[in-house]
Each structure stands twice: as structure tokens, then as C-alpha cells.
Amino acid sequence: MPLQFELCPGRMIGGNHPCFIIAEIGQNHQGDMKIAKEMIKMAKDCGADCAKFQKSELEYKFNKRALERPYTSKNSWGKTYGEHKRHLEFSHEQYRELQKYAAEVGIFFTASGMDEKAVEFLHKIEVPFFKVGSGDTNNFPYLEKTAKKGRPMVVSSGMQSMETMRRVYKTVKQHNENFAILQCTSAYPLEAEDVNLRVITEYQKEFPDIPIGYSGHESGISISVAAVALGAKVIERHITLDKKAKGSDHEASLVHSELAELVRSIRLVERALGSGIKQMLPCEKACHDKLGKSVVAKVKIPKGTVLTLDMLAVKVAEPMGVPAEDIFQLVGKTVTEEVEEDESLLSEVVDSYGKKAKS
């Protein structure tokens, strides 16, 4: 069974615990606190476990030239990339306000620390776990420093190779056993052909002692639900109030109705996965009693006859006799009473048949 650990206070993941569903707000809030709070409330109302943002300390994430380059995209909030990013970046006080609001609403709150300085801030405000975005997954100094802080971690794996992910696993594991890895493809929106859900099962083989999950950027919910059927213990999906809003992430994000249906579908699939033990269930008894087949006499069988296979048939019979799967066990055994043609062969009339008929 995969490792289980407490990702948030009172909320375990891994093993047989419910899939942890992260509603990724990211920067779809447009830099507007009112929208950000609406999205936190939306995540809660839809049944998600956590509302997540992206926190950057821009001078630590980007170099000067990157911030100064012109940004003329239709999604731009400023003339330069720095102006654009500053518009979308909440202050420390705003983050504390959002964290407080999430607590009031009753949903866990965290953020991806997009640089080491941002991680320091998130650690200071005591987020329950750190999310590592795909852009930092191969940033090994960052990974090591983040792991050493001791908070649980959820690590996305977009743009990485299996060789790199093995290094990621070893690096984090040295300092922190409580982490999960998510299969992810960094494209927005993501085409089905590029999702590669089979990586989930490969991760489960490579890293059997940690929970594996899925961070999706595809349209719709079907692929994310399929990931849960494959054993994903964490699901992360971007959310939005409007798919047509300004910004590159909105198109690949889920609106209220989609997120609610995703949560409902995940919980339904979890119920359907069952225990993995194959047995006749109580709910099948009515069908078994009505249509289950058992052994009958193909011919009249006198008392004291040693049974041969050509004397026996399998039918839906009343009353139910020896179970159909035991027909070969009857060969060579002696009947202690006469059995009429087409009558049920009951276990009590067969000498040395120790197995009672199923009820």
C-alpha cells in the first residue's frame, strides 16, 4: 500500500484515503482580491479540498532583462513582462487576508512558491504543504531547501524526464518523506494525445512508497477522472469564473459546474473501485437466488448409484442444488437417496460431498 501521510491538518492522503482535490486558482484572479475570494468560495462550494495560488517574489524569480522585456500579448496587463506580473501578484498582506478568508470558508489554502524567497514567505505564514510547480522540479537547490523545511510537498513533473524524476525523488526523500509526485504535461490547453496517463502507473512502479497524482491542463473532466481510476491520490485542476477571461490559463480551466462535476465523479469512482477482493457480494444474492445455476439429474439416479458426468446437467433449478462449479467434484461419489430426472441434486444426498450449497 502506498505511503500515507497527513498533507493538511486532519487530512490524510495515500492508501485508501480519498483523493485530495486541489483547485488551482493560480493567477486567474486577474490581480483582483474580490475575484480571488469568489474563486476560493467556488472551490469550497464545489467540494474541492484546497484552494491554491501561485506566489512569486518577482526579482528572485526573473532576472532584470526578463522583467524589462516588452510584453504585447493580448493577455498582457502591462507594457513589460514585469508590469504584467506585478499586476497579477498579491502582496504579503493580501496573501494573509486570502488565507484568513479560506479558513473562514472552511477550505485548505496554499500556494506554489515560484522561487526560494516565495517559499520562505509561505513557510512563514504556515501553509499546510508546499506545491512545487513544474518549472522548479529540476531546480535541485530549491527542492533541497524546500524539503528541509519539513512541510509536506506536492511536486508536479511537467517538462521532465523519468531520469530527472528519479533524481527529484532521491533529493526530496533525503530530507522529507512526506511528498507526492504528480504526472503533468505543461501545455495549455492540453490535447488528449499528450496527457500520457500511463506515466501514473510507471511512477507507481518507480516510487511505490509515495502517493502519485495528476495535475491536468486538458479541457473537460473525463481524463482527470480516469487518472483517479488509475490510482491518482491527488488531482490538481485550474479553475476560473470565465473561460473567456483575459489570461492564458482560463481556456484550460474548469468553471463552477465542471469543478462540481469533477468532484462528484471522483467520489463516485472511488466508491466503485472497491477492495479488489473478488467474491459474491450481498447485493448479488437476489440475482443468484433467481438465476444462479446448480446441478440437476439428467436422468433418474437410483439410490446407491456412483455418479458419472453423463448423469448430470447444470440448470437454473428449484430448489438450488450443488453449485454448478462443483459438478466435477461429484463424479465418483455415491447418492444416498434416489433422485428423479430433472430434479436438483442436493448436497445432503451425495455421500462424502463436504461442501454445502451456496445460499
Side-chain angles (χ1 to χ4, degrees):
M1 180 177 292
L3 177 69
Q4 308 171 59
F5 64 88
E6 189 176 58
L7 184 64
C8 296
R11 182 59 160 88
M12 300 287 290
I13 67 164
N16 292 322
H17 297 287
C19 177
F20 189 85
I21 302 171
I22 300 172
E24 164 71 291
I25 294 170
Q27 295 190 325
N28 282 354
H29 49 69
Q30 316 288 71
D32 186 318
M33 285 288 286
K34 182 175 181 292
I35 292 175
K37 289 181 178 180
E38 285 181 30
M39 296 181 78
I40 291 172
K41 184 67 163 57
M42 167 188 161
K44 170 63 178 178
D45 290 346
C46 291
D49 293 289
C50 180
K52 190 184 83 66
F53 290 78
Q54 296 175 3
K55 183 72 186 92
S56 298
E57 301 293 344
L58 297 179
E59 285 70 23
Y60 290 84
K61 181 180 180 181
F62 300 99
N63 72 2
K64 188 175 180 181
R65 289 183 65 180
L67 291 173
E68 290 176 348
R69 70 179 170 89
Y71 194 55
T72 57
S73 162
K74 65 179 181 179
N75 296 317
S76 175
W77 293 95
K79 293 180 181 180
T80 66
Y81 195 65
E83 289 178 8
H84 165 76
K85 296 300 288 185
R86 288 184 187 95
H87 173 84
L88 294 171
E89 196 63 49
F90 288 137
S91 69
H92 289 187
E93 285 308 308
Q94 286 173 316
Y95 259 86
R96 290 186 175 94
E97 183 179 339
L98 292 172
Q99 184 182 41
K100 181 180 177 183
Y101 178 74
E104 291 170 356
V105 168
I107 189 170
F108 294 118
F109 172 93
T110 194
S112 298
M114 309 300 280
D115 53 80
E116 291 179 18
K117 193 72 171 178
V119 171
E120 292 291 343
F121 167 69
L122 294 172
H123 186 55
K124 185 176 181 180
I125 66 171
E126 299 185 337
V127 295
F129 68 93
F130 294 126
K131 171 68 201 304
V132 178
S134 294
D136 278 306
T137 299
N138 62 348
N139 182 351
F140 289 98
Y142 166 100
L143 280 180
E144 187 171 334
K145 290 177 183 177
T146 303
K148 284 180 176 179
K149 295 190 181 302
R151 297 189 186 278
M153 296 169 63
V154 174
V155 184
S156 279
S157 61
M159 304 178 286
Q160 311 303 328
S161 67
M162 183 62 84
E163 181 181 355
T164 297
M165 293 313 299
R166 292 188 187 105
R167 286 185 61 197
V168 169
Y169 170 85
K170 291 177 182 177
T171 299
V172 177
K173 191 79 171 177
Q174 284 179 342
H175 309 288
N176 190 338
E177 292 192 344
N178 295 333
F179 69 104
I181 288 176
L182 310 186
Q183 161 57 0
C184 176
T185 303
S186 298
Y188 308 82
L190 175 62
E191 296 299 324
E193 293 79 8
D194 296 321
V195 171
N196 210 356
L197 284 181
R198 286 195 175 97
V199 172
I200 292 173
T201 56
E202 292 305 309
Y203 281 167
Q204 289 165 340
K205 295 172 190 174
E206 287 279 344
F207 317 123
D209 57 349
I210 64 170
I212 301 301
Y214 174 68
S215 177
H217 306 125
E218 72 278 2
S219 299
I221 67 169
S222 299
I223 289 170
S224 295
V225 175
V228 175
L230 286 174
K233 298 301 181 181
V234 178
I235 290 289
E236 179 185 57
R237 289 298 304 271
H238 287 250
I239 65 170
T240 183
L241 301 180
D242 181 1
K243 286 179 183 284
K244 295 181 180 180
K246 186 175 178 177
S248 58
D249 285 350
H250 292 281
E251 186 180 352
S253 300
L254 303 179
V255 295
H256 188 289
S257 60
E258 291 175 310
L259 179 61
E261 180 59 22
L262 174 66
V263 174
R264 189 200 69 82
S265 297
I266 286 174
R267 300 306 177 217
L268 182 64
V269 166
E270 287 176 328
R271 288 168 54 200
L273 284 172
S275 66
I277 300 170
K278 184 57 184 172
Q279 59 186 341
M280 189 170 74
L281 297 173
C283 66
E284 297 178 290
K285 187 178 185 305
C287 185
H288 179 263
D289 290 348
K290 181 179 179 181
L291 298 175
K293 292 188 174 183
S294 60
V295 180
V296 300
K298 188 185 290 187
V299 296
K300 182 177 180 178
I301 305 174
K303 178 180 178 179
T305 300
V306 177
L307 294 172
T308 59
L309 192 59
D310 58 2
M311 300 176 185
L312 308 175
V314 173
K315 294 184 178 182
V316 177
E318 183 63 39
M320 188 172 284
V322 171
E325 67 264 26
D326 288 352
I327 188 170
F328 297 120
Q329 295 182 30
L330 299 175
V331 175
K333 291 184 168 52
T334 303
V335 293
T336 58
E337 295 181 23
E338 182 177 272
V339 183
E340 294 294 330
E341 181 182 349
D342 205 42
E343 286 297 309
S344 301
L345 194 67
L346 303 177
S347 60
E348 53 263 34
V349 306
V350 182
D351 188 39
S352 300
Y353 174 74
K355 186 175 180 180
K356 292 184 179 179
K358 293 181 179 177
S359 59

